[in-house]
Amino acid sequence: MVDDTEKAVFALVEKFNAPSIFTFRRFKLKHDTDLNNDFRMDPLDAYDLMEQYTEQFGIEPKEIDFEHYFPEYGDAQDPLTIQLLIDSAKAGRWLGK
């Protein structure tokens, strides 16, 4: 069963889910979608998303190491999944790194 927090997180991420310029389709968002590797989210959009996320769900922004998930160089150390966003929102604090 999908609860209100889950719906709100999906709705927030969906705002950044523009149709592909090649297929004109939106990416199918799932709980295990990694916003960096699967969704290929632009880091600037991801930063905007995380700003809105922390404000909407009362998460302390200083708890989130953004470069851990969207490094300037190299690969992300861990995936930033929709499920992590949901779990953290429910906990009221950041559960990732």
Side-chain angles (χ1 to χ4, degrees):
M1 180 174 201
V2 178
D3 65 21
D4 290 341
T5 302
E6 198 170 326
K7 287 178 189 175
V9 169
F10 270 99
L12 179 60
V13 175
E14 187 63 43
K15 288 177 14 181
F16 293 87
N17 192 8
S20 165
I21 60 172
F22 300 110
T23 65
F24 303 106
R25 293 188 178 144
R26 294 181 186 275
F27 187 86
K28 179 155 175 56
L29 299 174
K30 300 180 285 187
H31 288 87
D32 64 348
T33 297
D34 178 352
L35 299 181
N36 189 348
N37 292 318
D38 298 332
F39 192 51
R40 302 266 186 230
M41 191 170 218
D42 179 83
L44 293 175
D45 287 342
Y47 191 84
D48 288 345
L49 167 74
M50 294 307 289
E51 278 188 322
Q52 292 177 36
Y53 171 81
T54 57
E55 189 174 304
Q56 183 173 343
F57 295 102
I59 306 294
E60 177 58 49
K62 293 177 187 173
E63 294 178 1
I64 303 169
D65 179 3
F66 183 77
E67 288 201 19
H68 185 82
Y69 303 100
F70 284 86
E72 190 170 341
Y73 302 103
D75 295 328
Q77 295 177 29
D78 287 308
L80 178 58
T81 64
I82 293 175
Q83 188 63 54
L84 176 57
L85 296 175
I86 293 167
D87 293 343
S88 296
K90 288 180 179 180
R93 64 182 179 81
W94 188 245
L95 299 176
K97 306 249 176 182

